[in-house]
Amino acid sequence: MKKFMLIAVLGLAVLFGAIGCGSNAPLTIWVGAESVEFYSAKMIEYVEDYNAANEKEFPYEVTVVGVDSSTSAATFLDDTDAGADIFTVPHDNLGKLIAGSSAIAPVMSDSLLNQIENDNPQSFLDVIKGSVDGTQYTFGIPYVAQSLVLYYNTAYVTDEQAETWEGIWEAAITADKYALTLTATDGFNNSFLLLSTEADTHNTSLKLYEGGVQEECYALGDDTIAKLKWGQSFFMDANGAKAPSDSGWEVELSDDISLSTIGGAWHYEAAKSALGDNLGITTLPTFTLTEDSVYGTAVAGTVYKSGTFADTKMFVMKKNSDKADYLEDILLYLSSKGVQEESFEEAANLPAYKNASTEFSAFEEDTLDAKLATAQVEMFAWGLPQPFGYNSKFNTYYYSKGTPDLLLEIIENESGDFSTNQAIIDQLTIIESLWKTGLRPE
């Protein structure tokens, strides 16, 4: 049986698929709203194959629901009994899900564990595991990769100019526009300066919970100070970078107020709508330290590549689900390379498996989808998996204790309070303390 209907879930109008005809409560799967139709179709195929192979009907109706993956962990924890049997979260949500006795179940199937181990890059394998009562388990099943890229207006910015912030800045001065509007000012979407590394060596002094250790945070390196001083020149210029206005980054792109933005795959459709045939996509640009922006051991002329968090979205399973006997086989199927590739072609979800950039022929096509995929994959060389899933405190300390606003205050420097090196150092000292302890220094 196959049926689709429109319903409202968590305030969103999403496509809902109910598959199968079991009489018990449905087996529920949460995915991003953009992926509901695709995964509904895949579960129809799964149920049909199960029925044929076992000569009996799959025992449960399957419901695929669209839920914002960034908030799905919190939604699940608010009412675990009503939560999905399988749901999607970014890997940095793992800490909150396994805190205490854990609200999610570890992967126990050898076949699924082997597929996870064989198919995924080490950077993902490092962030999908967690310890409960002193024992480490694999909890996450990666199936989508994501990183930030540059969306830019090709009517004003050439492909060569898009390689550097200085080039985009030059185009903005010529056209009397802004070079960049941020999509948001949070610590994820505005991380390109903080996470930037030397273009030649990938070196950076920045530490964010290195090795999963709470105290291993460092924000006071000479290079960090110099990069933020360069950022000040970019954000303080009349044709430089800016935070989004009340109208939003989409309007600022479509109305030619700004020439570029930094975004993820989840911003892709909005960027296409804003720029149409003038949409360009590439990796995040480089920038070069000037004499005015150097500090300490940082040297003028050093080229930095803008950085990103390079993450996986993963499936996890409800602990003590009454459908537990069926979940791991479903996940073996949904996270397989073949389904990941189909998910890219149907819903523009970037495959998470480690050799996708060379094994998956769709990346070679001359399409915007392929350019988006290629840019994201290339940014993984300049990316850091969010290190916040080791402990539920880390995510809170990095995102919710005010440090993104403190960082924005430095680079915007609206009142001139951060025009001296010492003022920047003092602000970074507060940021580092909040990362480590959640508290400002005394």
Side-chain angles (χ1 to χ4, degrees):
M1 179 180 69
K2 174 181 177 181
K3 58 180 179 177
F4 294 103
M5 63 193 79
L6 287 174
I7 63 169
V9 178
L10 304 178
L12 295 173
V14 299
L15 188 65
F16 165 105
I19 306 105
C21 53
S23 59
N24 299 317
L27 188 158
T28 305
I29 301 172
W30 290 351
V31 298
E34 73 285 349
S35 303
V36 173
E37 186 171 4
F38 172 74
Y39 286 103
S40 293
K42 298 316 295 179
M43 286 309 301
I44 290 169
E45 292 181 13
Y46 178 88
V47 168
E48 290 174 347
D49 290 345
Y50 176 95
N51 294 346
N54 292 278
E55 297 183 347
K56 63 179 181 180
E57 287 196 348
F58 190 73
Y60 299 102
E61 179 184 275
V62 179
T63 302
V64 180
V65 181
V67 177
D68 182 357
S69 60
S70 64
T71 60
S72 60
T75 301
F76 178 82
L77 290 172
D78 283 344
D79 188 350
T80 56
D81 288 339
D85 299 286
I86 294 170
F87 59 103
T88 302
V89 293
H91 76 258
D92 65 299
N93 281 229
L94 182 59
K96 67 179 70 174
L97 289 167
I98 65 173
S101 60
S102 181
I104 57 175
V107 178
M108 303 303 290
S109 158
D110 287 340
S111 56
L112 183 53
L113 285 169
N114 289 337
Q115 179 170 286
I116 292 169
E117 188 72 25
N118 293 334
D119 288 359
N120 289 284
Q122 189 61 46
S123 61
F124 287 175
L125 296 176
D126 291 340
V127 295
I128 61 174
K129 300 173 183 177
S131 295
V132 177
D133 296 330
T135 301
Q136 187 180 70
Y137 300 96
T138 296
F139 287 96
I141 302 95
Y143 77 108
V144 175
Q146 58 186 22
S147 63
L148 296 174
V149 298
L150 183 77
Y151 297 116
Y152 65 98
N153 191 331
T154 60
Y156 297 94
V157 182
T158 67
D159 291 348
E160 182 178 1
Q161 286 176 315
E163 294 175 1
T164 69
W165 286 121
E166 290 86 356
I168 299 171
W169 198 350
E170 176 187 51
I173 292 170
T174 300
D176 195 21
K177 312 290 184 184
Y178 284 99
L180 165 72
T181 294
L182 297 172
T183 54
T185 58
D186 59 85
F188 186 98
N189 290 292
N190 183 27
S191 58
F192 74 105
L193 291 171
L194 186 68
L195 300 182
S196 59
T197 58
E198 287 189 37
D200 290 338
T201 65
H202 294 246
N203 287 341
T204 179
S205 67
L206 180 76
K207 292 183 181 180
L208 281 175
Y209 308 104
E210 193 166 277
V213 178
Q214 183 170 331
E215 293 75 23
E216 286 298 314
C217 295
Y218 183 64
L220 293 167
D222 291 356
D223 58 334
T224 300
I225 295 165
K227 289 182 287 188
L228 295 182
K229 290 179 68 176
W230 183 91
Q232 285 183 337
S233 66
F234 191 32
F235 276 79
M236 293 174 67
D237 188 83
N239 298 109
K242 65 186 294 292
S245 65
D246 290 342
S247 60
W249 65 270
E250 303 97 320
V251 172
E252 296 191 8
L253 283 188
S254 63
D255 289 353
D256 293 347
I257 295 170
S258 290
L259 302 186
S260 71
T261 195
I262 297 168
W266 54 97
H267 298 116
Y268 175 47
E269 292 298 331
K272 279 202 299 186
S273 177
L275 294 178
D277 292 340
N278 293 326
L279 175 61
I281 305 173
T282 190
T283 61
L284 297 184
T286 63
F287 60 94
T288 303
L289 293 187
T290 64
E291 290 290 351
D292 291 336
S293 58
V294 296
Y295 174 79
T297 58
V299 178
T302 304
V303 179
Y304 287 90
K305 180 75 169 177
S306 298
T308 178
F309 286 119
D311 296 336
T312 181
K313 288 201 294 187
M314 59 188 191
F315 286 122
V316 292
M317 299 175 288
K318 178 196 291 189
K319 183 179 179 181
N320 299 325
S321 167
D322 59 358
K323 313 337 185 269
D325 290 346
Y326 300 90
L327 301 185
E328 289 181 309
D329 191 62
I330 289 172
L331 290 171
L332 185 71
Y333 171 66
L334 293 182
S335 65
S336 65
K337 289 183 180 181
V339 173
Q340 287 188 40
E341 291 177 354
E342 290 181 59
S343 180
F344 171 76
E345 293 173 332
E346 297 295 328
N349 288 319
L350 184 69
Y353 73 87
K354 61 186 175 184
N355 297 319
S357 60
T358 56
E359 293 181 7
F360 188 23
S361 61
F363 280 22
E364 300 174 6
E365 297 174 1
D366 186 20
T367 64
L368 278 176
D369 286 358
K371 289 179 180 179
L372 173 61
T374 300
Q376 288 185 90
V377 169
E378 290 178 358
M379 279 308 302
F380 270 73
W382 309 96
L384 170 72
Q386 290 185 80
F388 311 127
Y390 297 100
N391 186 307
S392 58
K393 293 179 181 178
F394 298 174
N395 189 294
T396 300
Y397 288 177
Y398 180 80
Y399 285 111
S400 303
K401 291 294 183 177
T403 58
D405 291 337
L406 296 176
L407 187 70
L408 186 66
E409 287 177 4
I410 295 175
I411 57 178
E412 287 190 321
N413 196 23
E414 289 182 344
S415 59
D417 290 343
F418 301 99
S419 298
T420 67
N421 293 331
Q422 190 59 52
I424 295 172
I425 291 169
D426 290 345
Q427 188 89 323
L428 288 173
T429 300
I430 297 171
I431 289 172
E432 185 180 298
S433 178
L434 288 168
W435 287 346
K436 290 180 178 180
T437 68
L439 301 171
R440 289 172 175 258
E442 296 181 359

